[in-house]
Amino acid sequence: MAAEQDPEGRAAARPLLTDLYQATMALGYWRAGRARDAAEFELFFRRCPFGGAFALAAGLRDCVRFLRAFRLRDADVQFLASVLPPDTDPAFFEHLRSLDCSEVTVRALPEGSLAFPGVPLLQVSGPLLVVQLLETPLLCLVSYASLVATNAARLRLIAGPEKRLLEMGLRRAQGPDGGLTASTYSYLGGFDSSSNVLAGQLRGVPVAGTLAHSFVTSFSGSEVPPDPMLAPAAGEGPGVDLAAKAQVWLEHVCAHLGLGVQEPHPGERAAFVAYALAFPQAFQGLLDSYSVRRSGLPNFLAVALALGELGYRAVGVRLDSGDLLQQAQEIRKVFRAAAAQFQVPWLESVPIAVSNNIDEEALARLAQEGSEVNVIGIGTSVVTCPQQPSLGCVYKLVAVGGQPRMKLTEDPEKQTLPGSKAAFRLLGSDGSLLMDVLQLAEEPAPQAGQELRVWPPGAQEPCTVRPAQVEPLLRLCLQQGQLCEPLPSLAESRALVQLSLSQLSPEHRRLQSPAQYQVVLSERLQALVNSLHARASP
């Protein structure tokens, strides 16, 4: 099967991105004559991450791309032959060479939808040997993507809808693949853009970025631009020496701020001028290379006002150290006063961006009412998910040959739910989410307005619910290896995230000590569980 010919295909996982025991089990299935037994697995998680009450389903696009391209190449088979027993029948390796996913069917939660414990993110069915080999790659593609998307959604909920969130964690990520995944799925979870250029090229994530302290400190002030002239924004009239114009404005700004004209660092000003010459339509100043009040701010104002004379408007300033909330408030006051003093109203609303190890607690402070921060850059806290570094997804066998399979263990949390299943979301008359229901695939779907008897987790008896609306959760996305419908774009899945979160009640949406959302079982599924338990009892 050919891989999709698009830029994202370059980011696809490879078949040997797996654990060795998948290959050893494959040999065992083949040797036992069971390679083509019909089997079904489910991929799910057992607990919501970060102490919250929800997660987001993510990684489906990557899974579909991986499955459609799945094929063991000669080099892959040769390597497996080197790590499996030397007396392995060569016919097994010929079988591996013939494998693809043309007989694999996948049902999934749509990317960006709400996910809850025990509800399958993926249902994967097909020949036993093949779907077993898919376990580790699919877990790898779904688990981290869903974790990062959920983490980003939490940060968006804290920030509120108005603040712009920039993901800038590539340099802190767990390797290149982790960096690309984090940039992609933080955008899906609600961030506005990423600093990661590759995420823009391969995934269409909006990219943003300006300059670092190294750019500012590389200038001493003695540099002479090869071409210091800048034409007016309207394109009419002679060019102006921007450095000279900024020097004139510096005198006015320093007088306004009560500073000596020698106080602002000349190298910083030269850096700002150089950047403004390169990006007159997108000039932004990094203010804290030296002193924000005595250097960064006056130098920025001098260059911004010089640009303003030529019809350009600065797009922002950034802070990367100190008390970000307080400094932003002080800078906004200076902008307002300078706007009035120099009669440039646009200066009042120049966006203020901040960064510097911002976590949930710091973000809540920056997002509070009265904050003058407009843009917030977050790196480590979004890409490394420090509160919980893994979602803990699992991939469990639920049926073979049409017969249910169940893992029975002394740890109740690790017991699995048997059989091929369907999942439904029950909603109230106001559109709010009530609960998710898991039932056997052959059962009739729940009907809106009709009573339904269900079993909550650990309950001794069923309860009755009457939903106003019923939504099927799992969509057929791959049937016998063929894509059933075009996958939504990343931007469309991102929009689904915000719609899904808006349907959660405040009790389930809150980040600290939320009410737990219920996932219940149908009476027939509960009866099957009880029956398999009874058979296993001595």
Side-chain angles (χ1 to χ4, degrees):
M1 299 172 64
E4 291 176 303
Q5 298 300 309
D6 67 351
E8 286 190 68
R10 292 161 55 187
R14 297 168 57 179
L16 290 196
L17 184 70
T18 192
D19 295 306
L20 180 60
Y21 80 167
Q22 309 294 0
T24 62
M25 284 189 286
L27 176 55
Y29 290 140
W30 182 84
R31 185 68 178 78
R34 305 193 60 209
R36 296 192 52 77
D37 286 5
E40 183 171 334
F41 285 80
E42 291 179 349
L43 190 155
F44 60 94
F45 60 90
R46 294 187 174 106
R47 294 184 183 181
C48 288
F50 314 118
F54 70 89
L56 295 177
L60 179 60
R61 287 175 65 86
D62 296 332
C63 291
V64 170
R65 184 165 291 102
F66 167 73
L67 294 170
R68 298 189 73 195
F70 182 88
R71 195 73 186 245
L72 288 162
R73 301 178 182 180
D74 285 343
D76 299 329
V77 177
Q78 289 167 12
F79 180 77
L80 289 176
S82 74
V83 296
L84 290 174
D87 60 350
T88 300
D89 189 334
F92 171 68
F93 298 112
E94 289 308 308
H95 182 74
L96 292 182
R97 284 187 172 90
S98 71
L99 295 180
D100 60 23
C101 289
S102 60
E103 297 180 74
V104 172
T105 294
V106 176
R107 291 175 173 80
L109 285 177
E111 188 144 56
S113 57
L114 290 168
F116 300 102
V119 177
L121 281 72
L122 300 177
Q123 289 177 329
V124 184
S125 58
L128 178 57
L129 186 151
V130 173
V131 291
Q132 181 72 71
L133 284 175
L134 300 177
E135 174 180 5
T136 302
L138 293 180
L139 284 169
C140 186
L141 291 170
V142 169
S143 296
Y144 182 56
S146 299
L147 185 74
V148 168
T150 306
N151 194 27
R154 288 173 60 90
L155 293 166
R156 168 53 71 191
L157 288 171
I158 294 170
E162 301 302 323
K163 306 295 184 189
R164 292 186 60 81
L165 295 180
L166 166 66
E167 179 274 316
M168 48 192 296
L170 178 59
R171 65 190 62 191
R172 304 285 186 254
Q174 293 93 335
D177 290 339
L180 180 60
T181 299
S183 298
T184 302
Y185 293 104
S186 62
Y187 175 66
L188 181 141
F191 274 54
D192 296 286
S193 56
S194 170
S195 67
N196 187 340
V197 177
L198 189 62
Q201 181 192 26
L202 298 185
R203 301 301 183 89
V205 176
V207 294
T210 51
L211 68 162
H213 295 102
S214 57
F215 184 87
V216 175
T217 58
S218 73
F219 288 82
S220 67
S222 62
E223 298 82 6
V224 178
D227 181 7
M229 308 303 287
L230 182 64
E236 299 178 359
V240 172
D241 185 327
L242 186 63
K245 178 64 68 174
Q247 186 65 43
V248 172
W249 270 108
L250 182 68
E251 296 180 8
H252 298 305
V253 168
C254 287
H256 170 68
L257 296 177
L259 298 171
V261 75
Q262 300 303 318
E263 290 187 67
H265 197 289
E268 182 180 54
R269 188 163 59 258
F272 288 175
V273 168
Y275 197 82
L277 287 169
F279 299 96
Q281 301 279 7
F283 171 60
Q284 179 171 332
L286 178 58
L287 302 187
D288 61 346
S289 296
Y290 301 106
S291 166
V292 173
R293 188 182 66 83
R294 296 194 309 275
S295 185
L297 195 49
N299 277 330
F300 168 78
L301 288 171
V303 176
L305 290 166
L307 285 171
E309 267 198 68
L310 296 172
Y312 301 97
R313 292 188 180 182
V315 300
V317 296
R318 181 163 73 92
L319 298 165
D320 191 50
S321 59
D323 187 327
L324 302 174
L325 180 67
Q326 180 179 336
Q327 288 185 97
Q329 291 170 335
E330 293 170 353
I331 289 168
R332 183 68 68 204
K333 289 179 182 178
V334 171
F335 283 171
R336 287 174 178 145
Q341 174 70 24
F342 302 117
Q343 299 183 342
V344 282
W346 57 265
L347 188 58
E348 287 189 18
S349 57
V350 168
I352 299 173
V354 299
S355 54
N356 189 24
N357 293 323
I358 294 170
D359 57 15
E360 287 190 359
E361 182 179 353
L363 180 60
R365 185 168 180 261
L366 293 169
Q368 66 185 267
E369 187 175 353
S371 168
E372 296 292 351
V373 172
N374 307 106
V375 183
I376 303 168
I378 305 178
T380 305
S381 291
V382 66
V383 306
T384 67
C385 302
Q387 291 189 66
Q388 182 176 328
S390 173
L391 181 54
C393 287
V394 293
Y395 182 88
K396 297 300 181 182
L397 181 69
V398 296
V400 176
Q403 297 302 307
R405 293 291 188 269
M406 180 179 184
K407 178 184 177 182
L408 294 169
T409 173
E410 293 178 356
D411 183 351
E413 187 181 42
K414 289 199 169 186
Q415 293 179 1
T416 59
L417 295 173
S420 181
K421 292 183 280 297
F424 296 90
R425 185 155 291 161
L426 309 186
L427 296 86
S429 57
D430 59 354
S432 61
L433 308 190
L434 300 178
M435 62 184 65
D436 286 4
V437 178
L438 296 176
Q439 64 177 52
L440 295 173
E442 64 266 23
E443 294 186 62
Q447 298 298 310
Q450 295 185 8
E451 282 193 353
L452 181 69
R453 283 166 61 86
V454 296
W455 285 80
Q460 299 301 309
E461 57 184 31
C463 65
T464 301
V465 61
R466 188 192 297 270
Q469 303 173 57
V470 177
E471 293 181 355
L473 291 179
L474 300 170
R475 299 184 66 168
L476 185 64
C477 64
L478 207 67
Q479 186 168 33
Q480 299 295 301
Q482 296 300 309
L483 193 62
C484 296
E485 59 184 4
L487 292 173
S489 68
L490 186 62
E492 289 169 333
S493 296
R494 181 177 183 270
L496 177 60
V497 167
Q498 298 309 312
L499 175 63
S500 299
L501 290 172
S502 71
Q503 294 178 306
L504 270 180
S505 70
E507 292 76 17
H508 295 130
R509 194 166 56 238
R510 66 175 180 248
L511 305 184
Q512 304 298 325
S513 303
Q516 293 304 305
Y517 184 82
Q518 277 201 326
V519 176
V520 300
L521 308 185
S522 70
E523 285 198 290
R524 284 183 59 184
L525 179 54
Q526 183 65 55
L528 177 60
V529 170
N530 294 343
S531 171
L532 294 178
H533 267 291
R535 284 189 216 169
S537 299

